Amino acid sequence: MEINSLSQIKDIMERFNIAPNKGFGQNFLIDKGVLEKIADAAQIDKNTDVLEIGPGMGALTDRLCSRAKKVVCIEIDGGMLPVLDYTLCDHDNVEIINGDVLDKKVREAAVSRLDTPFSISANLPYYITTPIIMAFLEGGYNLSSMTLMMQKEVAERICADPGSKSYGILTVCMNYYADVKILFTISPECFYPRPKVESMLIRISKLEKPRINVKDENMFFKVVKASFAMRRKTLVNNLSGAFKMPKSEVCAVLERCGIPTDIRGERLTLEQYGVLSDEIFSKTVE
Ligand code: SAM
Protein backbone atom coordinates (compact mmCIF):
# COMPACT_ATOMS: atom_id res chain seq x y z
CA MET A 1 0.00 0.00 0.00
CA GLU A 2 1.41 3.38 -1.00
CA ILE A 3 1.31 5.91 1.83
CA ASN A 4 1.20 9.38 0.32
CA SER A 5 -0.60 11.69 2.70
CA LEU A 6 -1.35 12.76 6.25
CA SER A 7 -4.95 11.59 5.97
CA GLN A 8 -3.77 8.04 5.18
CA ILE A 9 -1.42 8.07 8.19
CA LYS A 10 -4.26 9.29 10.39
CA ASP A 11 -6.62 6.59 9.06
CA ILE A 12 -4.01 3.91 9.83
CA MET A 13 -3.44 5.27 13.34
CA GLU A 14 -7.18 5.21 13.98
CA ARG A 15 -7.60 1.71 12.57
CA PHE A 16 -4.78 0.33 14.77
CA ASN A 17 -5.42 2.65 17.71
CA ILE A 18 -1.86 3.99 17.83
CA ALA A 19 -0.21 7.41 18.15
CA PRO A 20 3.33 8.59 17.27
CA ASN A 21 5.74 7.60 20.03
CA LYS A 22 8.09 10.52 20.77
CA GLY A 23 10.40 8.28 22.79
CA PHE A 24 11.12 6.23 19.65
CA GLY A 25 11.69 9.36 17.54
CA GLN A 26 8.61 8.69 15.41
CA ASN A 27 8.17 11.34 12.73
CA PHE A 28 6.45 9.69 9.79
CA LEU A 29 7.03 10.76 6.21
CA ILE A 30 3.80 11.88 4.54
CA ASP A 31 5.01 13.49 1.30
CA LYS A 32 4.76 11.30 -1.80
CA GLY A 33 7.40 13.25 -3.77
CA VAL A 34 9.94 13.09 -0.95
CA LEU A 35 9.31 9.37 -0.33
CA GLU A 36 9.94 8.62 -4.02
CA LYS A 37 13.08 10.79 -4.02
CA ILE A 38 14.50 9.00 -0.96
CA ALA A 39 13.81 5.56 -2.44
CA ASP A 40 15.40 6.63 -5.76
CA ALA A 41 18.42 8.08 -3.97
CA ALA A 42 19.13 4.68 -2.35
CA GLN A 43 20.40 3.53 -5.79
CA ILE A 44 19.01 0.03 -5.48
CA ASP A 45 17.71 -2.43 -8.06
CA LYS A 46 16.31 -5.94 -8.24
CA ASN A 47 19.80 -7.37 -7.53
CA THR A 48 20.23 -5.46 -4.27
CA ASP A 49 19.24 -6.42 -0.72
CA VAL A 50 18.37 -3.56 1.59
CA LEU A 51 18.32 -3.10 5.33
CA GLU A 52 15.83 -0.52 6.52
CA ILE A 53 16.17 0.85 10.05
CA GLY A 54 12.86 1.91 11.61
CA PRO A 55 10.21 1.20 8.96
CA GLY A 56 7.47 2.76 11.12
CA MET A 57 4.20 2.34 9.18
CA GLY A 58 6.02 1.25 6.03
CA ALA A 59 5.77 4.34 3.80
CA LEU A 60 9.40 4.09 2.66
CA THR A 61 9.50 0.29 3.00
CA ASP A 62 6.80 -0.10 0.35
CA ARG A 63 8.91 1.89 -2.14
CA LEU A 64 12.08 -0.02 -1.23
CA CYS A 65 10.29 -3.37 -1.74
CA SER A 66 9.24 -2.29 -5.24
CA ARG A 67 12.84 -1.48 -6.16
CA ALA A 68 14.99 -4.05 -4.29
CA LYS A 69 15.48 -7.81 -4.34
CA LYS A 70 14.80 -8.12 -0.63
CA VAL A 71 14.18 -5.73 2.26
CA VAL A 72 14.88 -6.63 5.88
CA CYS A 73 13.70 -4.11 8.48
CA ILE A 74 14.56 -3.61 12.13
CA GLU A 75 11.76 -1.92 14.10
CA ILE A 76 11.86 -1.44 17.86
CA ASP A 77 8.15 -0.64 18.27
CA GLY A 78 6.16 -3.89 18.49
CA GLY A 79 2.99 -1.84 17.95
CA MET A 80 4.06 -1.29 14.33
CA LEU A 81 4.09 -5.00 13.46
CA PRO A 82 0.35 -5.38 12.70
CA VAL A 83 0.48 -2.07 10.83
CA LEU A 84 3.35 -3.31 8.65
CA ASP A 85 1.49 -6.60 7.99
CA TYR A 86 -1.35 -4.46 6.66
CA THR A 87 0.58 -1.84 4.66
CA LEU A 88 3.10 -4.28 3.14
CA CYS A 89 0.70 -7.13 2.35
CA ASP A 90 1.35 -6.68 -1.42
CA HIS A 91 5.05 -7.58 -1.03
CA ASP A 92 6.61 -11.00 -0.54
CA ASN A 93 10.23 -9.76 -0.39
CA VAL A 94 10.14 -8.16 3.04
CA GLU A 95 10.99 -9.38 6.54
CA ILE A 96 10.52 -7.45 9.76
CA ILE A 97 12.66 -8.00 12.83
CA ASN A 98 11.26 -6.58 16.06
CA GLY A 99 14.24 -5.27 18.04
CA ASP A 100 16.70 -2.51 18.81
CA VAL A 101 19.17 -1.72 16.03
CA LEU A 102 21.76 -0.81 18.67
CA ASP A 103 21.70 -4.42 19.91
CA LYS A 104 24.49 -6.28 18.10
CA LYS A 105 22.55 -9.56 18.12
CA VAL A 106 19.60 -7.89 16.40
CA ARG A 107 21.89 -6.37 13.74
CA GLU A 108 23.60 -9.71 13.12
CA ALA A 109 20.22 -11.46 12.81
CA ALA A 110 19.10 -8.90 10.22
CA VAL A 111 22.35 -8.97 8.26
CA SER A 112 22.36 -12.80 8.20
CA ARG A 113 19.14 -12.63 6.16
CA LEU A 114 20.68 -10.37 3.51
CA ASP A 115 22.89 -11.10 0.53
CA THR A 116 26.01 -8.97 0.58
CA PRO A 117 27.04 -6.32 -0.13
CA PHE A 118 23.77 -4.80 1.05
CA SER A 119 22.59 -1.20 1.23
CA ILE A 120 21.01 0.60 4.15
CA SER A 121 18.15 3.04 3.74
CA ALA A 122 16.44 4.86 6.59
CA ASN A 123 14.62 7.84 7.93
CA LEU A 124 16.56 7.54 11.17
CA PRO A 125 15.25 8.07 14.67
CA TYR A 126 17.13 11.32 15.36
CA TYR A 127 17.89 10.61 19.01
CA ILE A 128 20.35 7.83 18.08
CA THR A 129 21.65 8.84 14.63
CA THR A 130 25.35 8.83 15.50
CA PRO A 131 25.47 5.50 17.42
CA ILE A 132 23.58 3.79 14.57
CA ILE A 133 25.97 5.08 11.90
CA MET A 134 29.06 4.21 13.95
CA ALA A 135 27.71 0.71 14.75
CA PHE A 136 27.49 -0.05 11.03
CA LEU A 137 30.81 1.59 10.08
CA GLU A 138 32.80 -0.04 12.88
CA GLY A 139 30.97 -3.38 12.78
CA GLY A 140 32.88 -4.76 9.76
CA TYR A 141 29.67 -5.41 7.76
CA ASN A 142 29.89 -5.98 4.01
CA LEU A 143 27.72 -3.02 3.09
CA SER A 144 28.01 -0.79 0.05
CA SER A 145 26.26 2.40 1.06
CA MET A 146 23.90 3.97 3.57
CA THR A 147 21.35 6.51 2.38
CA LEU A 148 20.14 8.16 5.52
CA MET A 149 17.83 10.92 6.57
CA MET A 150 18.92 12.77 9.66
CA GLN A 151 18.75 16.10 11.41
CA LYS A 152 20.40 18.75 9.21
CA GLU A 153 22.78 19.74 11.99
CA VAL A 154 24.17 16.18 12.28
CA ALA A 155 24.58 15.94 8.49
CA GLU A 156 26.54 19.19 8.60
CA ARG A 157 28.79 17.81 11.34
CA ILE A 158 29.47 14.72 9.25
CA CYS A 159 30.47 16.77 6.20
CA ALA A 160 32.25 19.68 7.93
CA ASP A 161 35.63 21.09 6.88
CA PRO A 162 38.53 21.38 9.34
CA GLY A 163 38.37 24.67 11.22
CA SER A 164 34.60 25.03 10.97
CA LYS A 165 32.29 25.10 13.97
CA SER A 166 30.70 21.76 13.06
CA TYR A 167 34.01 19.88 12.64
CA GLY A 168 34.43 17.26 15.36
CA ILE A 169 34.93 13.61 16.32
CA LEU A 170 32.08 12.49 14.05
CA THR A 171 33.60 14.29 11.04
CA VAL A 172 37.03 12.75 11.53
CA CYS A 173 35.65 9.22 12.12
CA MET A 174 33.39 9.45 9.07
CA ASN A 175 36.22 10.71 6.89
CA TYR A 176 38.32 7.75 8.11
CA TYR A 177 35.76 5.14 7.04
CA ALA A 178 33.71 6.61 4.19
CA ASP A 179 32.95 9.03 1.38
CA VAL A 180 29.99 11.22 2.21
CA LYS A 181 27.65 13.18 -0.04
CA ILE A 182 24.82 15.51 0.93
CA LEU A 183 21.84 14.78 -1.35
CA PHE A 184 19.03 17.16 -0.39
CA THR A 185 17.21 18.99 2.41
CA ILE A 186 13.72 18.05 3.60
CA SER A 187 11.46 20.50 5.37
CA PRO A 188 9.49 19.71 8.57
CA GLU A 189 6.15 19.87 6.65
CA CYS A 190 6.97 16.52 5.01
CA PHE A 191 6.55 14.69 8.35
CA TYR A 192 3.86 13.91 10.87
CA PRO A 193 4.29 15.03 13.55
CA ARG A 194 6.47 17.90 12.32
CA PRO A 195 9.97 17.86 13.81
CA LYS A 196 11.37 21.18 15.10
CA VAL A 197 14.37 20.96 12.78
CA GLU A 198 15.15 20.59 9.09
CA SER A 199 16.35 17.23 7.81
CA MET A 200 18.90 16.13 5.24
CA LEU A 201 19.40 13.03 3.18
CA ILE A 202 23.02 11.96 2.85
CA ARG A 203 24.79 9.04 1.24
CA ILE A 204 27.65 7.39 3.13
CA SER A 205 29.72 5.07 0.92
CA LYS A 206 31.98 2.87 3.01
CA LEU A 207 35.55 2.66 1.72
CA GLU A 208 37.05 -0.80 1.14
CA LYS A 209 39.66 0.07 3.72
CA PRO A 210 40.08 3.14 5.94
CA ARG A 211 41.29 6.25 4.10
CA ILE A 212 44.58 6.34 6.02
CA ASN A 213 46.84 3.67 7.52
CA VAL A 214 47.52 4.01 11.21
CA LYS A 215 49.79 1.94 13.44
CA ASP A 216 47.09 1.37 16.03
CA GLU A 217 43.39 2.08 15.48
CA ASN A 218 42.55 2.24 19.19
CA MET A 219 45.21 4.89 19.68
CA PHE A 220 43.93 6.82 16.64
CA PHE A 221 40.38 7.04 18.06
CA LYS A 222 41.71 7.81 21.55
CA VAL A 223 43.74 10.73 20.18
CA VAL A 224 40.78 12.07 18.17
CA LYS A 225 38.43 11.86 21.16
CA ALA A 226 40.97 13.47 23.51
CA SER A 227 41.63 16.31 21.05
CA PHE A 228 37.98 17.40 21.11
CA ALA A 229 37.43 16.75 24.84
CA MET A 230 37.39 20.51 25.56
CA ARG A 231 36.88 22.41 22.34
CA ARG A 232 38.18 25.68 23.69
CA LYS A 233 41.41 24.17 24.97
CA THR A 234 44.44 23.82 22.74
CA LEU A 235 45.51 20.41 21.44
CA VAL A 236 48.49 20.48 23.80
CA ASN A 237 46.26 20.94 26.86
CA ASN A 238 43.77 18.27 25.81
CA LEU A 239 46.45 15.68 24.96
CA SER A 240 48.53 16.42 28.02
CA GLY A 241 45.46 15.77 30.21
CA ALA A 242 44.33 12.62 28.40
CA PHE A 243 47.75 10.96 28.11
CA LYS A 244 49.16 12.25 31.41
CA MET A 245 52.14 13.73 29.57
CA PRO A 246 53.87 16.99 30.52
CA LYS A 247 52.98 19.80 28.10
CA SER A 248 56.63 20.09 27.04
CA GLU A 249 56.57 16.46 25.89
CA VAL A 250 53.32 16.96 23.96
CA CYS A 251 54.87 20.04 22.29
CA ALA A 252 57.88 17.95 21.27
CA VAL A 253 55.55 15.29 19.77
CA LEU A 254 53.65 17.94 17.79
CA GLU A 255 56.88 19.48 16.52
CA ARG A 256 58.07 16.08 15.30
CA CYS A 257 54.75 15.78 13.40
CA GLY A 258 55.11 19.28 11.89
CA ILE A 259 51.95 20.44 13.73
CA PRO A 260 51.91 23.97 15.29
CA THR A 261 51.93 23.77 19.10
CA ASP A 262 49.26 26.47 19.57
CA ILE A 263 46.66 24.73 17.39
CA ARG A 264 43.20 23.47 18.48
CA GLY A 265 41.93 19.98 17.63
CA GLU A 266 39.27 21.33 15.28
CA ARG A 267 41.97 22.50 12.81
CA LEU A 268 43.68 19.13 12.26
CA THR A 269 43.01 17.14 9.11
CA LEU A 270 42.45 13.37 9.13
CA GLU A 271 45.99 12.86 7.84
CA GLN A 272 47.46 14.99 10.64
CA TYR A 273 45.49 12.93 13.18
CA GLY A 274 47.00 9.81 11.62
CA VAL A 275 50.59 11.10 11.92
CA LEU A 276 49.97 12.35 15.45
CA SER A 277 48.45 9.10 16.72
CA ASP A 278 51.31 7.09 15.18
CA GLU A 279 53.83 9.32 16.95
CA ILE A 280 52.06 8.99 20.33
CA PHE A 281 51.70 5.23 19.79
CA SER A 282 55.45 4.87 19.09
CA LYS A 283 56.18 6.86 22.21
CA THR A 284 53.95 4.68 24.40
CA VAL A 285 55.60 1.43 23.23
CA GLU A 286 59.15 2.80 23.54
N1 SAM B 1 10.47 4.97 8.21
C1 SAM B 1 9.29 5.59 8.77
C2 SAM B 1 8.94 6.81 7.95
O1 SAM B 1 9.84 7.32 7.26
O2 SAM B 1 7.80 7.26 7.99
C3 SAM B 1 9.49 5.95 10.23
C4 SAM B 1 10.71 6.81 10.55
S1 SAM B 1 10.75 7.39 12.23
C5 SAM B 1 11.72 8.85 12.04
C6 SAM B 1 11.94 6.33 13.02
C7 SAM B 1 11.53 4.87 13.18
O3 SAM B 1 12.59 4.17 13.85
C8 SAM B 1 10.29 4.65 14.02
O4 SAM B 1 9.46 3.70 13.41
C9 SAM B 1 10.82 4.11 15.36
O5 SAM B 1 9.90 3.29 16.05
C10 SAM B 1 12.05 3.36 14.89
N2 SAM B 1 13.09 3.21 15.92
C11 SAM B 1 13.40 4.07 16.92
N3 SAM B 1 14.43 3.61 17.66
C12 SAM B 1 14.78 2.43 17.13
C13 SAM B 1 15.76 1.46 17.46
N4 SAM B 1 16.61 1.63 18.50
N5 SAM B 1 15.85 0.33 16.71
C14 SAM B 1 15.01 0.14 15.66
N6 SAM B 1 14.05 1.02 15.30
C15 SAM B 1 13.94 2.15 16.01
Side-chain angles (χ1 to χ4, degrees):
M1 167 183 177
E2 247 189 40
I3 298 177
N4 292 320
S5 66
L6 178 57
S7 62
Q8 271 177 299
I9 290 276
K10 286 196 165 160
D11 283 350
I12 294 172
M13 289 197 304
E14 204 178 306
R15 174 188 273 255
F16 289 92
N17 194 22
I18 53 171
N21 184 328
K22 254 191 175 182
F24 287 147
Q26 290 180 351
N27 298 96
F28 301 107
L29 277 163
I30 52 170
D31 186 287
K32 177 179 165 63
V34 165
L35 280 156
E36 297 292 339
K37 261 173 92 176
I38 296 171
D40 285 343
Q43 291 185 325
I44 46 180
D45 57 28
K46 282 290 169 191
N47 296 312
T48 318
D49 280 2
V50 178
L51 174 66
E52 188 191 4
I53 301 156
M57 298 195 203
L60 179 59
T61 324
D62 168 68
R63 270 100 178 167
L64 296 173
C65 288
S66 303
R67 289 163 172 80
K69 185 166 74 157
K70 183 176 184 184
V71 181
V72 173
C73 306
I74 302 176
E75 172 57 61
I76 199 167
D77 184 356
M80 289 296 157
L81 302 189
V83 179
L84 290 164
D85 272 350
Y86 170 69
T87 58
L88 301 176
C89 64
D90 296 339
H91 300 286
D92 58 6
N93 59 342
V94 60
E95 256 187 77
I96 314 290
I97 295 177
N98 184 206
D100 180 349
V101 68
L102 293 182
D103 179 341
K104 192 169 175 217
K105 283 200 201 113
V106 171
R107 286 199 300 279
E108 312 263 289
V111 170
S112 71
R113 290 162 163 84
L114 295 162
D115 281 346
T116 53
F118 62 93
S119 298
I120 298 182
S121 176
N123 168 16
L124 288 177
Y126 293 171
Y127 72 109
I128 44 170
T129 302
T130 305
I132 293 177
I133 297 175
M134 293 315 293
F136 281 100
L137 284 179
E138 290 174 339
Y141 301 103
N142 186 2
L143 66 91
S144 47
S145 69
M146 306 195 252
T147 308
L148 305 175
M149 170 124 66
M150 62 191 67
Q151 196 176 322
K152 186 176 171 199
E153 186 232 330
V154 180
E156 283 170 351
R157 275 202 274 138
I158 287 176
C159 302
D161 290 323
S164 67
K165 218 175 80 197
S166 306
Y167 190 74
I169 300 171
L170 185 59
T171 328
V172 180
C173 294
M174 200 62 69
N175 196 4
Y176 179 74
Y177 284 116
D179 281 330
V180 185
K181 189 168 182 224
I182 288 192
L183 300 175
F184 50 86
T185 307
I186 300 137
S187 73
E189 293 82 65
C190 300
F191 301 84
Y192 177 79
R194 287 183 189 187
K196 291 198 177 72
V197 291
E198 278 198 307
S199 304
M200 258 183 182
L201 191 75
I202 70 170
R203 185 175 308 119
I204 299 172
S205 308
K206 197 178 166 209
L207 302 169
E208 270 180 30
K209 55 184 183 58
R211 196 178 303 279
I212 56 165
N213 271 322
V214 291
K215 286 184 182 157
D216 184 85
E217 233 176 36
N218 286 334
M219 178 59 83
F220 170 75
F221 289 116
K222 197 172 163 191
V223 168
V224 174
K225 278 188 191 140
S227 305
F228 287 98
M230 306 271 254
R231 278 191 87 95
R232 282 185 317 176
K233 279 194 178 182
T234 61
L235 190 59
V236 170
N237 281 331
N238 274 330
L239 293 180
S240 150
F243 291 94
K244 312 232 170 329
M245 274 159 72
K247 285 182 194 166
S248 57
E249 244 180 75
V250 179
C251 285
V253 168
L254 293 184
E255 272 162 12
R256 282 202 294 282
C257 298
I259 297 172
T261 52
D262 59 352
I263 203 167
R264 286 194 166 76
E266 68 211 38
R267 298 219 158 261
L268 254 60
T269 62
L270 174 72
E271 289 70 20
Q272 285 176 309
Y273 272 114
V275 173
L276 178 59
S277 80
D278 281 355
E279 188 64 32
I280 297 180
F281 180 70
S282 304
K283 215 176 147 39
T284 55
V285 293
E286 255 170 19

